């Protein structure tokens, strides 16, 4: 009887432990996030999708799909960084993807979710989703011509606010983004354009026929109608000298003329990289456009990554290394986001660290701030977020190369050697400025939604209680308690009935004595590596969810994902696949075994790096530490159907309507 009672209590304790372990709060339990998408509207930094790690990665290295829509309020201070909130609506019908983009329409207070891939589950057919900032509501645009558009992931995208258009170049097509896809991932070479007002798609050709992915694309107000600047990432086919980006190759798309150019850059050219982030700003007189690049994943044979900042100054097309300036311990990471605020600061958020299992400053949710003009009392690059900083000054490291001063006046306004095309020499003498007062909203905007209005309604005031995530938490908690109580009741009833039968049998002399039951072993509490899902909404059912410690999505056609190591050993991290041209196109994973913890946040948490670890803990494994197996990531292109409408064509979509009458 004592043994049965003990067994019953252990079973109940195990159930209680597992139920409680499933309940993760996106803020309180935050550890790291990466491969997410962000945008800014009305002083709110919106964070959608991506992958997250919770609580303690050394005990639980599992990657979870982030199913929450979060936002950071740029005017609410949390330890000198924006305070994050989880009060926005996002139900299970809205896809939660990684490697997508949010195109913001700041005038109509909307943003659109395009692209991205699903993590460890099959993708759904493409639908363009739009989030209404005013009414805290997601809407799916009607299919219409979007049936000819497919979902690409980890491409390069940007939204142009004064034109209300979004662009997306390249990216991967795979069975994690396109339903029914067969074969390996395939990069694209198309430039998609989405008109947020006309609600229509247009396809443009890329600079050439070479497919590309995992680079960045930014907008600068040069020429007659602005320019797109693309660089970085990988390109296919992957052969010797043809698999990755050279820092000297800068691709330009002139919007007014729908034409691509390639200009060669010089200076302190950064190493080849992908899955980094970047942001653009410019001098007050637009004599220079300065693009700040941070971090990223490196190319084989070096697969660790970067913790550095480079500046590409245009139109001199000169690279300048901005950080670090001395030999310091580096903490490379990739798959992160960059958001430039008021042309003066760049919030760098998240990323996955190949050589560390430490959390990314959870108190500020993995945010770090780069002061683009060093306009702070310390004249520092890494500094706390300053909500009142609204203008950009060109730092001395740039003016020392291109001339001029803090407000502009650059004297080096052409490449060191020559222009690749004479058109560019003309375009960069023109400075695009949007018409004043600018475009107007195409729907009714309540006065309280105007930025800067003291009566501005917060998202929590406009959301529907029925669809609030807090309601989902409460309902899930109540349901879990009821289910748990039912299980306990059933277990108790069965054990009591068994005890009663045993007592009756022992008291009856005409029945053979009952053989004593063997002692049952104690049940350990649920392992942190058990199959369970994130509390808000599971990415997969718990019974079918493979546990991985990697940063790249699982494709059903690939080998099974890596199982996590025991809690007593450091977690392995599945790196983004790489290509080995010598192995003939097979898929092989690359793993890195983390060494001593590398993430020791500074007191102010401004900087994505930190003081070096003790001398006894080397920051990086030497080449002989752990396997350095290259993974085939770029197989020969499979026979696939067309993915986009022919270049120059356009398709119309039904308009997105406001949830309230105009």
């Amino acid at each position: 009887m004592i043994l049965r009672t003990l067994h019953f209590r252990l079973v109940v304790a195990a159930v209680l432990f597992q139920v409680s372990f499933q309940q993760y709060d996106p803020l309180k339990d935050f550890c790291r996030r990466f491969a997410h998408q962000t945008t800014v509207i009305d002083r709110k930094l919106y964070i959608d999708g991506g992958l997250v790690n919770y609580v303690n990665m050394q005990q639980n290295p599992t990657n979870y799909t982030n199913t929450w829509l979060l936002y950071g309020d740029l005017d609410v201070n949390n330890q000198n960084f924006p305070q994050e909130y989880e009060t926005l609506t996002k139900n299970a019908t809205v896809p939660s993807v990684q490697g997508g983009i949010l195109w913001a329409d700041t005038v109509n207070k909307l943003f659109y979710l395009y692209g991205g891939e699903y993590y460890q589950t099959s993708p759904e057919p493409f639908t363009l989703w739009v989030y209404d900032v005013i009414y805290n509501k997601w809407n799916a645009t009607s299919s219409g011509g979007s049936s000819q558009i497919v979902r690409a992931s980890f491409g390069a995208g940007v939204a142009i606010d004064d034109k209300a258009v979004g662009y997306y170049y390249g990216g991967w097509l795979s069975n994690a983004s396109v339903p029914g896809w067969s074969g390996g991932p395939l990069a694209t070479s198309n430039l998609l354009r989405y008109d947020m007002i006309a609600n229509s798609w247009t396809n443009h050709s890329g600079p050439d026929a070479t497919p590309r992915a995992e680079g960045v694309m930014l907008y600068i107000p040069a020429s007659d109608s602005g320019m797109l600047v693309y660089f970085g990432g990988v390109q296919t086919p992957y052969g010797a000298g043809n698999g990755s980006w050279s820092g000297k190759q800068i691709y330009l798309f002139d919007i007014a003329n729908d034409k691509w150019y390639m200009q060669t850059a010089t200076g302190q050219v950064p190493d080849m990289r992908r899955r980094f982030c970047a942001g653009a700003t410019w001098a007050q007189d637009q004599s220079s456009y300065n693009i700040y690049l941070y971090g990223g994943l490196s190319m084989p044979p070096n697969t660790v990554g970067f913790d550095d900042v480079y500046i590409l100054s245009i139109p001199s097309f000169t690279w300048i290394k901005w950080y670090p300036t001395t030999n310091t311990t580096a903490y490379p990471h990739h798959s992160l986001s960059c958001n430039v605020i008021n042309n003066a600061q760049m919030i760098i958020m998240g990323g996955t660290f190949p050589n560390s299992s430490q959390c990314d400053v959870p108190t500020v949710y993995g945010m770090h701030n780069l002061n683009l003009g060093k306009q702070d009392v310390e004249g520092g690059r890494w500094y706390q977020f300053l909500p009142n900083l609204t203008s950009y000054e060109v730092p001395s490291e740039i003016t020392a190369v291109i001339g001029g001063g803090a407000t502009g006046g650059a004297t080096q306004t052409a490449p060191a050697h020559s222009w690749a095309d004479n058109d560019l020499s003309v375009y960069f003498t023109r400075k695009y400025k949007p018409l004043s007062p600018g475009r107007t909203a195409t729907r009714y905007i309540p006065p309280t939604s105007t930025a800067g209005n003291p009566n501005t309604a917060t998202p929590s005031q406009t959301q529907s209680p029925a669809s609030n995530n807090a309601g989902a938490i409460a309902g899930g908690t109540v349901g879990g308690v009821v289910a748990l109580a039912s299980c306990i009741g059933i277990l108790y009833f069965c054990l009591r009935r068994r005890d009663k039968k045993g007592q009756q049998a022992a008291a009856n002399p005409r029945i053979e004595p009952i053989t004593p039951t063997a002692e049952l072993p104690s049940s350990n509490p649920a392992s942190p590596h058990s199959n369970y899902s994130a509390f808000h909404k599971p990415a997969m059912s718990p019974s079918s969810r493979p546990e991985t410690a990697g940063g790249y999505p699982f494709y059903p056609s690939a080998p099974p994902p890596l199982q996590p190591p025991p809690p007593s050993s450091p977690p392995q991290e599945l790196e983004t696949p790489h290509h080995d041209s010598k192995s003939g196109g097979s898929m092989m994973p690359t793993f890195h075994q983390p060494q001593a913890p590398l993430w020791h946040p500074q007191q102010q948490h401004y900087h994505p790096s930190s003081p070096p670890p003790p001398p006894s803990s080397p920051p990086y494994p030497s080449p002989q530490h752990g396997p350095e197996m290259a993974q085939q990531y770029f197989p020969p292109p499979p026979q696939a159907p067309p993915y986009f409408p022919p270049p120059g064509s356009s398709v119309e979509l039904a308009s997105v309507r406001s949830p309230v009458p105009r």
Side-chain angles (χ1 to χ4, degrees):
M1 179 64 184
I2 295 176
L3 292 176
R4 283 192 288 270
T5 302
L6 178 61
H7 178 240
F8 170 73
R9 291 177 179 175
L10 288 173
V11 170
V12 171
V15 173
L16 285 171
F17 181 84
Q18 187 165 4
V19 169
S20 63
F21 205 78
Q22 291 177 356
Q23 301 176 4
Y24 286 123
D25 185 282
L27 300 182
K28 294 179 182 178
D29 297 324
F30 172 83
C31 181
R32 302 200 306 206
R33 87 169 74 251
F34 56 100
H36 51 286
Q37 40 270 346
T38 57
T39 194
V40 177
I41 297 179
D42 286 349
R43 306 286 294 172
K44 303 291 191 297
L45 173 58
Y46 293 91
I47 309 148
D48 178 68
L51 300 177
V52 290
N53 305 116
Y54 289 116
V55 188
N56 188 334
M57 285 194 63
Q58 293 178 337
Q59 296 180 4
N60 176 32
T62 307
N63 296 328
Y64 294 96
T65 296
N66 171 40
T67 59
W68 300 76
L69 174 62
L70 309 171
Y71 76 96
D73 193 321
L74 301 182
D75 296 317
V76 177
N77 188 305
N78 169 43
Q79 301 188 31
N80 297 318
F81 280 86
Q83 175 62 52
E84 276 191 26
Y85 298 92
E86 79 287 1
T87 56
L88 302 180
T89 295
K90 186 175 183 182
N91 59 46
T93 61
V94 183
S96 294
V97 297
Q98 57 168 325
I101 188 172
L102 302 179
W103 288 320
D105 179 352
T106 62
V107 175
N108 286 302
K109 317 300 181 188
L110 305 167
F111 65 73
Y112 299 79
L113 171 61
Y114 170 75
E117 58 191 33
Y118 290 68
Y119 183 62
Q120 298 183 341
T121 187
S122 298
E124 298 177 358
F126 170 70
T127 299
L128 184 69
W129 285 86
V130 55
Y131 177 75
D132 192 319
V133 170
I134 298 175
Y135 299 100
N136 185 30
K137 181 179 177 62
W138 287 90
N139 294 291
T141 62
S142 60
S143 57
S146 64
S147 61
Q148 303 178 47
I149 304 297
V150 296
R151 184 188 294 110
S153 64
F154 292 102
V158 66
I160 304 178
D161 192 50
D162 69 282
K163 304 178 188 300
V165 297
Y167 286 93
Y168 196 88
Y169 174 62
W172 296 109
L173 304 177
S174 69
N175 60 5
S177 61
V178 182
W181 181 269
S182 61
L186 176 67
T188 73
S189 60
N190 297 81
L191 175 67
L192 281 178
R193 180 183 185 273
Y194 176 68
D195 189 319
M196 304 178 202
I197 305 302
N199 209 7
S200 63
W201 297 88
T202 305
N203 177 51
H204 298 269
S205 299
D208 48 39
T210 301
R212 295 182 174 88
E214 302 185 22
V216 299
M217 186 164 61
L218 302 162
Y219 168 79
I220 58 174
S223 190
D224 296 313
S225 193
M227 278 189 170
L228 305 180
V229 182
Y230 175 86
F231 57 87
V234 295
Q235 60 189 35
T236 60
Y238 198 107
N242 192 37
S244 56
W245 160 74
S246 167
K248 297 180 179 180
Q249 298 172 342
I250 310 299
Y251 296 95
L252 305 165
F253 180 73
D254 185 71
I255 296 174
N257 296 287
D258 286 345
K259 187 174 181 180
W260 283 96
Y261 300 88
M262 196 282 285
Q263 178 63 46
T264 300
T266 58
Q268 298 171 298
V269 180
D271 292 333
M272 299 178 293
R273 65 189 67 198
R274 64 193 200 188
R275 292 206 185 191
F276 56 95
C277 71
T281 186
W282 42 87
Q284 295 177 26
D285 65 354
Q286 293 179 231
S287 60
S288 68
Y289 308 92
N290 301 313
I291 296 174
Y292 291 71
L293 171 160
Y294 177 75
L297 181 63
S298 54
M299 305 294 182
N302 173 21
T303 57
V304 176
F306 301 98
D307 174 21
D308 53 14
V309 178
Y310 283 83
I311 301 171
L312 174 63
S313 187
I314 297 174
S316 68
F317 287 89
T318 305
W319 282 107
I320 302 166
K321 186 174 183 179
W322 207 46
Y323 170 85
T325 57
T326 59
N327 293 328
T328 60
T329 302
Y331 302 90
H333 52 300
H334 62 86
S335 302
L336 58 173
S337 62
C338 290
N339 292 92
V340 174
I341 310 298
N342 291 332
N343 272 15
Q345 300 173 95
M346 186 164 75
I347 293 179
I348 299 172
M349 183 185 300
T352 185
F353 297 73
N355 287 344
S356 172
S357 59
Q358 297 299 304
C359 292
D360 186 4
V361 281
T363 55
V364 294
Y365 318 111
M367 292 189 192
H368 311 274
N369 188 55
L370 192 63
N371 194 313
L372 304 180
K374 302 195 300 184
Q375 297 161 257
D376 53 71
V377 294
E378 298 178 3
R381 298 167 177 81
W382 301 102
Y383 200 71
Q384 68 189 59
F385 179 72
L386 302 174
N388 296 322
L389 184 58
T390 58
S391 62
Y392 169 68
E393 294 182 357
V394 183
S396 58
E397 293 83 356
I398 297 179
T399 59
V401 176
I402 66 171
T407 59
T411 57
Q412 184 68 31
T413 57
H417 299 301
S418 62
W419 292 103
D421 192 293
N422 289 333
D423 290 352
L424 295 176
S425 64
V426 177
Y427 293 157
F428 278 103
T429 62
R430 302 171 182 173
K431 304 169 185 178
Y432 173 69
K433 294 186 181 297
L435 297 176
S436 182
R439 64 187 178 94
T440 58
T442 57
R443 66 167 187 159
Y444 173 71
I445 305 295
T448 55
S449 66
T450 303
N453 190 317
N455 297 321
T456 298
T458 63
S460 59
Q461 293 172 325
T462 61
Q463 66 187 12
S464 170
S467 57
N468 190 356
N469 285 332
I473 293 176
T477 302
V478 173
V481 171
V482 172
L484 177 62
S486 300
C487 293
I488 293 174
I490 294 172
L491 287 172
Y492 181 76
F493 173 78
C494 292
L495 289 177
R496 288 285 296 172
R497 184 176 182 183
R498 185 176 180 180
D499 291 340
K500 186 174 180 180
K501 287 184 177 181
Q503 292 171 1
Q504 291 175 351
N508 192 341
R510 292 174 296 177
I511 301 177
E512 293 295 328
I514 300 176
T515 303
T517 304
E519 184 173 344
L520 297 173
S522 300
S523 297
N524 293 323
S527 165
H529 301 292
S530 300
N531 288 330
Y532 57 87
S533 61
F535 179 56
H536 173 52
K537 182 175 76 67
M540 295 183 67
S541 62
S543 61
S544 62
R545 182 178 198 151
E547 300 290 326
T548 70
Y552 194 76
F554 167 70
Y555 294 105
S557 60
L562 175 71
Q563 294 296 325
S568 59
S569 63
Q572 289 180 318
E573 179 151 355
L574 174 59
E575 273 294 272
T576 311
H578 305 296
H579 179 77
D580 181 4
S581 59
K582 297 180 180 180
S583 58
S586 61
M587 299 286 287
M588 299 176 60
T590 298
F591 303 105
H592 293 282
Q593 182 71 28
Q595 305 301 305
L598 302 180
W599 188 257
H600 305 282
Q602 294 183 1
Q603 182 177 0
Q604 295 297 330
H605 307 310
Y606 307 148
H607 184 283
S609 300
S610 52
S616 60
S617 302
Y620 297 111
S622 60
Q624 65 267 24
H625 289 170
E628 291 289 342
M629 299 170 60
Q631 179 167 355
Q632 295 286 350
Y633 191 50
F634 312 112
Q639 296 298 321
Y643 316 115
F644 302 100
S649 64
S650 63
V651 289
E652 300 294 330
L653 297 179
S655 61
V656 179
R657 298 181 180 178
S658 170
V660 297
R662 296 184 181 178

